Amino acid sequence: MVRGIMGAGIATIPFTIVGLMFLVFNVLPLTFPFLEGFFNATFFRFSDLYMLANMATMGLLALYFNISLGYEYSRIIAGDEKLEMSGLNGALLSMFAFFMTIPELVFQDGVISRVTEVTEEVTIVNGWRMGDAVERLGTVGIFTGIVMAVIAVNLYKMCVKRNWIIKLPEEVPSGVARAFTALIPAFVVAFAVLLINGVLAVLNTNIFDIIQVPFGFVTNMTNSWLGVMVIYFLVHALWLVGIHGANIIFSLITPITLANLAANAEGAAIPLAGEFNNAYVTLGGSGGTLLLTFFIAFLARSEQLKAVGKAAMIPAIFNINEPIIFGLPMIYNPYLAIPFFLAPMVSATIAYFSITLGWINPIIALLPWPSPVGIGAFIGTGGDWRAAVVSLICAAAAFVIYYPFIRAYDRKLMEQEQSNVSADNTDAVT
């Protein structure tokens, strides 16, 4: 399931980047007031048109997650368990399950009916609560979309395992045959979700409110300074034992950071949003090793460190540091474990409080994670130059933490190299 969520998160990135770039364009006059008159006379005349790209991405983010997860999770199960499951069927069944949870229901006088309420503050028509789009299809519904995809795909798997599917002769075109294999699973998913909806409506609640309890707790925790520290501790603890901590931890919190990103676009100031990680914390890659890489490339005395640094410089600019992780190495290295933990936690603290204290704007746009230092923070905050400065400060703070440790490690390696040279010379003389 974790791999499925990670795949779904990656699949949504291109769409969120495109949609949020239109938002960044729309808020440029707030960052550069001298543009306001020009924008009012030109681009803002068509803002309802081009902001459709933003509404169709961030406004439907839960739907993207739901469909992508259904597809990825079905493919993973099919591969791992050797089952004849179609990714397309999994995606459609997930969407089918999710759509049945969206209308708001009420139980009155022994009757379950869809809610209709139209006031100045609320618009609910036949159970569909409207905002810029259908509200529950946006960030509000991300976790419900994930849960319904997991339920639908597992019911699909159960049907396939028990052979509750309709098999047509081989002569039937594959597209037609695939459609019929989803028929019985679709009935099973429908009955299961309708039963859940009915029971919860009788209890005067709904699946969105139920799911919000545990996920709301996790969201609140990750939006605190202590929660952010726990995240970065876990990421780097996993890295130190050879496990890609960023992939594992951030695949789980990506739905939260995307929801926070949408909230920031509407006026919130949540630090852990979008590419907060690559804009301020893991500059140069996990551990925040950007300036460390350049230091060892040009100023290390050990030939080993120089070689690793020169190989890692260009990737480090784009937040890729596997040459450092495995070549320095960071993994199982007691000499560098402390700064590897500490540097990203200090950088995250600087950025966290810079945002919460209002010194810099929060991130409102999703940039590609390889964006170089300063650039990702500048564009991601809608053009706040102070964010770029904070990004540079974070990189410098990380290097200050590494400096005494890398000097000691450099000295140790240099002594080993000199010892090896002496031993080679002795062998040659002998």
Side-chain angles (χ1 to χ4, degrees):
M1 185 178 70
V2 173
R3 284 186 291 159
I5 294 174
M6 182 171 65
I10 293 171
T12 62
I13 287 174
F15 301 97
T16 52
I17 289 175
V18 170
L20 287 166
M21 284 299 94
F22 283 92
L23 175 64
V24 170
F25 179 76
N26 222 37
V27 301
L28 280 177
L30 298 177
T31 306
F32 304 106
F34 64 87
L35 294 175
E36 185 173 355
F38 174 70
F39 269 62
N40 285 335
T42 55
F43 297 115
F44 284 166
R45 291 176 179 269
F46 308 99
S47 63
D48 281 352
L49 172 63
Y50 63 74
M51 284 301 287
L52 288 175
N54 179 267
M55 182 274 290
T57 51
M58 299 307 294
L60 302 174
L61 194 57
L63 184 60
Y64 284 88
F65 254 98
N66 172 262
I67 295 173
S68 300
L69 178 54
Y71 180 83
E72 292 289 341
Y73 192 25
S74 296
R75 287 179 61 248
I76 290 168
I77 291 175
D80 290 349
E81 303 189 26
K82 309 301 180 187
L83 296 174
E84 292 186 14
M85 293 176 62
S86 162
L88 179 60
N89 281 346
L92 293 175
L93 288 169
S94 297
M95 183 175 65
F96 177 50
F98 183 39
F99 270 124
M100 282 191 288
T101 66
I102 291 173
E104 297 184 29
L105 303 172
V106 64
F107 180 69
Q108 289 180 336
D109 301 324
V111 176
I112 295 178
S113 58
R114 284 178 285 177
V115 175
T116 293
E117 180 182 353
V118 180
T119 66
E120 290 185 0
E121 295 80 22
V122 177
T123 301
I124 308 175
V125 179
N126 287 330
W128 297 77
R129 183 182 293 265
M130 304 301 297
D132 290 336
V134 178
E135 188 174 292
R136 286 182 169 182
L137 290 178
T139 55
V140 172
I142 287 178
F143 297 118
T144 302
I146 290 172
V147 170
M148 298 317 297
V150 171
I151 291 173
V153 172
N154 277 287
L155 289 174
Y156 178 28
K157 180 180 76 171
M158 179 191 74
C159 291
V160 172
K161 273 191 168 183
R162 300 190 178 193
N163 208 28
W164 294 353
I165 55 176
I166 297 174
K167 291 185 177 181
L168 298 180
E170 294 182 1
E171 293 78 14
V172 176
S174 60
V176 177
R178 187 186 307 116
F180 276 90
T181 60
L183 183 58
I184 294 177
F187 272 112
V188 172
V189 169
F191 286 129
V193 177
L194 292 175
L195 179 62
I196 292 171
N197 281 348
V199 169
L200 293 179
V202 170
L203 296 175
N204 197 31
T205 186
N206 58 74
I207 195 165
F208 282 80
D209 291 342
I210 297 295
I211 290 174
Q212 185 58 35
V213 174
F215 282 105
F217 171 77
V218 174
T219 301
N220 292 334
M221 186 186 76
T222 56
N223 291 342
S224 68
W225 173 79
L226 182 59
V228 171
M229 293 300 100
V230 170
I231 288 169
Y232 285 105
F233 177 84
L234 293 175
V235 168
H236 294 86
L238 290 171
W239 261 126
L240 283 175
V241 295
I243 300 172
H244 201 309
N247 273 357
I248 292 175
I249 301 300
F250 283 104
S251 67
L252 296 174
I253 68 167
T254 292
I256 296 173
T257 59
L258 288 176
N260 291 346
L261 190 69
N264 286 350
E266 295 175 1
I270 304 170
L272 191 65
E275 282 298 336
F276 173 86
N277 180 52
N278 290 299
Y280 300 111
V281 185
T282 58
L283 298 165
S286 292
T289 59
L290 178 62
L291 296 183
L292 171 68
T293 302
F294 283 84
F295 175 82
I296 64 175
F298 296 109
L299 297 175
R301 299 169 67 187
S302 161
E303 293 301 322
Q304 175 184 329
L305 290 188
K306 284 183 180 179
V308 172
K310 289 176 181 177
M313 280 192 305
I314 301 303
I317 295 173
F318 302 100
N319 300 326
I320 299 168
N321 72 338
E322 273 74 7
I324 291 291
I325 295 288
F326 298 104
L328 201 60
M330 288 293 185
I331 295 172
Y332 293 113
N333 190 336
Y335 292 91
L336 298 174
I338 291 175
F340 189 67
F341 273 118
L342 193 58
M345 295 172 75
V346 169
S347 297
T349 298
I350 293 171
Y352 181 92
F353 286 107
S354 295
I355 294 171
T356 55
L357 294 175
W359 296 345
I360 62 175
N361 293 337
I363 294 176
I364 61 169
L366 189 66
L367 270 292
W369 62 266
S371 300
V373 59
I375 296 176
F378 177 76
I379 300 177
T381 54
D384 187 353
W385 64 268
R386 300 168 301 172
V389 172
V390 169
S391 181
L392 294 171
I393 291 172
C394 289
F399 175 69
V400 168
I401 293 169
Y402 274 110
Y403 182 75
F405 295 91
I406 197 63
R407 286 298 301 269
Y409 188 51
D410 183 29
R411 189 162 49 248
K412 171 184 172 293
L413 291 179
M414 186 185 63
E415 290 172 355
Q416 287 181 350
E417 291 170 358
Q418 291 175 344
S419 176
N420 291 338
V421 170
S422 299
D424 290 342
N425 290 338
T426 301
D427 291 341
V429 171
T430 302

